[in-house]
Amino acid sequence: MNILEIIAKKRDNKKLSKEEINYFIKEYTNNNITDYQAAALVMAIYINGMDDEETKELTLAMADSGETLDLSVFGENVVDKHSTGGVGDKVSLILLPIIASLGIPVAKMSGRGLGFTGGTIDKLESIKGYHTDIGIDKFIENVKSIGISLIGQTLNLAPADKKIYALRDTISCTESIPLIASSIMSKKIAAGANKIVLDVTCGHGAFMNNIEDARKLAVAMKNIGKLANKETVCVITNMNEPLGYAVGNNLEVIEAVNSLKGNMPEDVEQVILELGAYMIKLADKGDNIEENKEKIKEVISNGKAYDKFLQLIENQGGDTSYIKDTNKFEKAKYILPVKSEKAGYIQDINARRIGEISGLLGAGRMKKEDKIDFSVGIVVEKKVSEYVKQGDVLAYVHANDEKLAQEAISEVLTEYVIESKKVDKPKVILEII
Ligand code: URA
């Protein structure tokens, strides 16, 4: 068996065997296959797809490429959460301290930005001193001592996914059901939780643009969950316009902190309540979804969720003075308004383009080794269904380069579709699978 034959087989739209998939994952993880060969195979998978069996084998091989955590010390109902990615998606930063403050252990491995979507790890690293790369013992110890730890894929958990994820990001191979399902589920299997809630985003700002594809992805991940003996619930959420207002790393951390203090954007709140209520249910801490939502509201209003966030940041070396006073976060040099050129109701804001523009300002990566600029991004001021007058501020561009800022202003403006007809606020929770 060799990699050239495997690439040629997928290129010609043939089914890969378990042995071929295992060979690729093992040899790529051990650096015996080059990035350009892996890129060719990943592109062939992207174009020709994989059937359920291949997707399952890919997931299991990736989950098995490193260590697998045993979280049984925390009981039978350890719940994990993951999103298929979005623009302005700061849900993990808000939801996980909420869940931990309800006494449910949170041991979560998050990812970096992928394509036009942001990543929780990049956002956390915008907090001075926060370590996302602690060892496994420390990770478990943190969960034992304060009930929560959030880390990056720096541990030896699903290292094959870490490599393929970073590769996909730089070869335009993000929107693929087998690649997303195997990426997410391999991490979830390796990270040890036995219950999983997945936020399957759907719309312009998601990898799945329509409800049919979002359903297919949800079903693929649920099936893998079943095979791995992990109860999985998928919540399909709307990602047509950016979630909340802020897009960009420290800008989103600031919005998350404000949310934990009770000032949460309406769409973010709906996602938090729905995902959180299912996490509580899977953790066996309450069967009634509506009552679970009340429990979440309570730990926000009594400050317990915010306190848990502070504890998390402190425990992983972060400087909590940034959380206590978010004005301390580095600000971009240019914070410039995008003004509406006409009056009317906002019909659409293309979240994908907002994510891409934010990436071009420096909030994302073009190459694997690129450094993120934590302070740049876009803060949306007006959302879909709102009425604006000519000259009203639609958004602010946060940039460190004046030319890029000016380009971003005109590009953001073109992403706002404004017409005279009224439109309803978009539905946020689309389906539960
Ligand atoms: N999140 C992941 O971990 N992997 C993907 O492929 C997409 C979102």
Side-chain angles (χ1 to χ4, degrees), residues 82-85 114 161 165 168 174 179-181 183-184 187 207:
H82 208 88
S83 160
T84 59
L114 182 67
D161 173 59
Y165 188 94
R168 282 167 59 210
T174 47
L179 293 175
I180 297 173
S183 163
I184 292 181
K187 278 196 282 277
F207 296 130

Side-chain angles (χ1 to χ4, degrees), residues 224-426:
I224 297 170
K226 208 179 279 171
L227 284 169
N229 220 0
K230 298 190 185 282
E231 192 179 350
T232 307
V233 171
C234 296
V235 180
I236 302 184
T237 61
N238 189 339
M239 188 51 81
N240 263 328
E241 63 176 336
L243 188 67
Y245 294 94
V247 178
N249 296 284
N250 74 22
L251 297 168
E252 291 189 44
V253 172
I254 295 168
E255 190 166 84
V257 172
N258 291 336
S259 298
L260 284 164
K261 287 181 173 166
N263 189 10
M264 199 176 320
E266 213 180 307
D267 53 351
V268 176
E269 185 179 31
Q270 287 191 48
V271 177
I272 293 285
L273 292 179
E274 205 67 37
L275 293 175
Y278 278 96
M279 288 181 83
I280 298 170
K281 184 175 154 93
L282 292 194
D284 230 358
K285 298 273 179 170
D287 258 352
N288 185 308
I289 293 297
E290 292 314 309
E291 279 172 24
N292 291 351
K293 290 182 183 173
E294 292 308 314
K295 292 177 193 160
I296 294 171
K297 288 182 189 164
E298 197 182 324
V299 290
I300 295 171
S301 59
N302 65 19
K304 284 190 176 166
Y306 172 72
D307 288 345
K308 192 52 80 180
F309 187 64
L310 280 180
Q311 255 185 322
L312 162 72
I313 301 305
E314 185 166 12
N315 217 27
Q316 285 188 223
D319 182 346
T320 51
S321 68
Y322 281 73
I323 309 301
K324 290 175 187 156
D325 176 10
T326 51
N327 284 316
K328 279 190 79 173
F329 277 104
E330 194 190 330
K331 287 190 184 55
K333 225 156 125 191
Y334 305 96
I335 302 176
L336 304 175
V338 179
K339 292 188 180 164
S340 181
E341 289 179 339
K342 58 179 181 174
Y345 293 92
I346 298 169
Q347 317 281 314
D348 192 25
I349 309 166
N350 187 321
R352 178 187 179 118
R353 286 293 303 133
I354 299 292
E356 284 169 349
I357 299 164
S358 171
L360 289 174
L361 290 169
R365 294 180 186 79
M366 298 301 282
K367 297 191 295 304
K368 279 205 283 192
E369 43 296 323
D370 281 352
K371 285 250 172 312
I372 296 266
D373 184 341
F374 294 125
S375 63
V376 300
I378 290 157
V379 177
V380 163
E381 290 288 310
K382 300 284 182 194
K383 305 248 304 173
V384 170
S385 85
E386 284 187 70
Y387 180 80
V388 289
K389 299 191 295 299
Q390 188 183 8
D392 279 355
V393 175
L394 299 171
Y396 284 98
V397 166
H398 292 235
N400 280 320
D401 178 296
E402 199 175 2
K403 187 166 166 277
L404 286 179
Q406 291 304 338
E407 282 167 14
I409 289 173
S410 54
E411 286 178 23
V412 170
L413 191 59
T414 63
E415 298 312 325
Y416 269 83
V417 181
I418 299 173
E419 284 170 17
S420 56
K421 70 171 192 289
K422 274 192 175 183
V423 282
D424 292 334
K425 268 197 184 152

